[in-house]
């Protein structure tokens, strides 16, 4: 089917008490892996690309890959811009055909974050493309940027003001997760998540989920998370598959051989996380 937006998918997830997995893709094989997992489990799915990914290969390449995958699939697929770093990049993604856009003004002050988010919302909504924003700072190594320790947790009263002022469709919250590989087991402030949920009605998004224990993710979904982002663990799974083939057969020169193994490992990983999100059978 044609690409869909995050709007209805996330509202359905919110109503049904589950979440949609959002998986960062960095090459064609990862796109194939994610859509194959979604097909096998009859799960809606979001694929997303960060600014560093679309610097490596233009937005148009990823859009074409994901659109082709969606058109061959029977489940709903979204193409989302993850951590849109500027108004200009968000507009390029909109023009290319992305069906969901994040503008991440969380590195700015509160007023500046509101201003850039509202500008993107005003530009995207006439085309019915929903917008995700971030309030508070999810720490760790996000894309190519080091976000530090991430002690700027989302303040519930600010979240309410932010959503009202911007008209944003979903909100990424900082409750103790971080991007990249965790040094220990992350401690999540789930009470803060519930407090945000009580005052904010739009669907909430969890970033930095690679390495977060599955039970903690389930608890976050129970408390209002409707979109769960996984990136680092897909890289790890893909690279493991490639290395395995090259270690066993160092003379291999056909990229299809080692990429296929990476693709299979990503598919298995994604299927596991769709179970955690509770999205299996929801397509
Ligand atoms: P991880 O790399 O920690 O899974 O974070 C993913 C993410 O939040 C992408 O926006």
């Amino acid at each position: 089917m044609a690409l869909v937006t995050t709007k209805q998918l996330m509202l359905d997830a919110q109503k049904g008490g589950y979440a949609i997995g959002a998986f960062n893709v960095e090459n064609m094989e990862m796109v194939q892996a994610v859509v194959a997992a979604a097909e096998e489990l009859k799960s809606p799915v979001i694929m997303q690309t960060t600014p560093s990914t679309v610097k490596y290969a233009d937005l148009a390449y990823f859009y074409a890959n994901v659109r082709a995958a969606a058109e061959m699939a029977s489940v709903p697929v979204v193409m989302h811009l993850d951590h849109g770093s500027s108004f200009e990049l968000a507009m390029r993604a909109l023009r290319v055909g992305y069906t969901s856009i994040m503008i991440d003004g969380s590195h700015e002050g509160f007023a500046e974050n509101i201003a850039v988010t509202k500008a993107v919302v005003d530009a995207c909504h006439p085309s019915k493309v929903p917008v995700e924003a971030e309030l508070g700072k999810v720490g760790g190594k996000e894309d190519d940027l080091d976000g530090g320790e991430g002690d700027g947790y989302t303040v519930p009263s600010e979240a309410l003001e932010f959503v009202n002022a911007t008209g944003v469709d979903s909100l990424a919250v900082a409750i103790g997760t971080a991007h990249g590989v965790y040094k220990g087991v992350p401690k999540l402030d789930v009470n803060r998540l519930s407090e945000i949920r009580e005052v904010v009605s739009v669907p909430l998004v969890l970033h930095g989920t690679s390495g977060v224990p599955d039970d903690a993710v389930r608890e976050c979904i129970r408390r209002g998370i409707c979109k769960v982002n996984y990136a680092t663990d897909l890289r790890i799974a893909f690279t493991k598959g490639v290395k395995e083939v090259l270690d066993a057969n160092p003379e291999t020169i056909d990229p299809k051989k080692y990429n296929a193994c990476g693709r299979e490992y990503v598919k298995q990983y994604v299927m596991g996380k769709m179970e955690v999100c509770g999205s299996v059978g929801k397509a």
Side-chain angles (χ1 to χ4, degrees), residues 35-198:
V35 82
E39 276 288 89
E40 195 160 322
L41 296 181
K42 295 281 165 265
S43 169
V45 72
I46 299 165
M47 282 190 255
Q48 52 188 22
T49 54
T50 61
S52 77
T53 302
V54 299
K55 195 170 161 207
Y56 176 75
D58 193 81
L59 286 155
Y61 281 92
F62 289 99
Y63 173 74
N65 268 258
V66 173
R67 193 180 77 171
E71 284 174 355
M72 284 186 268
S74 63
V75 296
V77 177
V78 175
M79 177 82 251
H80 176 78
L81 178 69
D82 187 28
H83 291 290
S85 48
S86 66
F87 178 81
E88 290 70 29
L89 181 61
M91 291 308 100
R92 284 218 299 120
L94 180 67
R95 278 196 296 275
V96 163
Y98 275 52
T99 54
S100 178
I101 292 196
M102 177 184 188
I103 177 72
D104 182 0
S106 66
H107 304 285
E108 312 282 341
F110 187 61
E112 291 82 2
N113 191 356
I114 287 180
V116 70
T117 301
K118 180 157 176 21
V120 172
V121 167
D122 288 347
C124 289
H125 278 185
S127 311
K128 302 240 175 311
V129 171
V131 178
E132 173 185 329
E134 179 170 317
L135 186 63
K137 288 192 179 69
V138 177
K141 191 163 167 44
E142 158 203 309
D143 205 13
D144 279 346
L145 304 170
D146 197 333
E149 293 301 313
D151 50 5
Y153 286 14
T154 308
V155 177
S157 59
E158 286 185 359
L160 173 64
E161 188 183 341
F162 185 88
V163 169
N164 286 342
T166 58
V168 78
D169 300 275
S170 62
L171 186 68
V173 292
I175 56 164
T177 55
H179 298 95
V181 178
Y182 289 98
K183 290 192 189 95
V185 178
K187 278 207 193 70
L188 306 191
D189 188 348
V190 289
N191 291 329
R192 180 183 296 266
L193 175 57
S194 295
E195 287 164 23
I196 299 167
R197 167 78 294 149
E198 264 170 38

Side-chain angles (χ1 to χ4, degrees), residues 23-40 45 47 62 64-70 72-73 75 77 234 238 255-256 259-268 270-271 274:
F23 302 97
N24 286 68
V25 288
E26 304 190 65
N27 58 26
M28 180 188 75
E29 286 77 7
M30 291 168 95
V31 171
Q32 291 176 310
V34 173
V35 82
E39 276 288 89
E40 195 160 322
V45 72
M47 282 190 255
F62 289 99
N65 268 258
V66 173
R67 193 180 77 171
M72 284 186 268
V75 296
V77 177
L234 277 79
F238 188 79
K256 294 193 288 301
N259 284 339
C261 189
R263 180 173 66 186
E264 182 57 27
Y265 280 3
V266 171
K267 180 185 168 196
Q268 294 306 325
V270 168
M271 285 172 69
M274 286 172 167

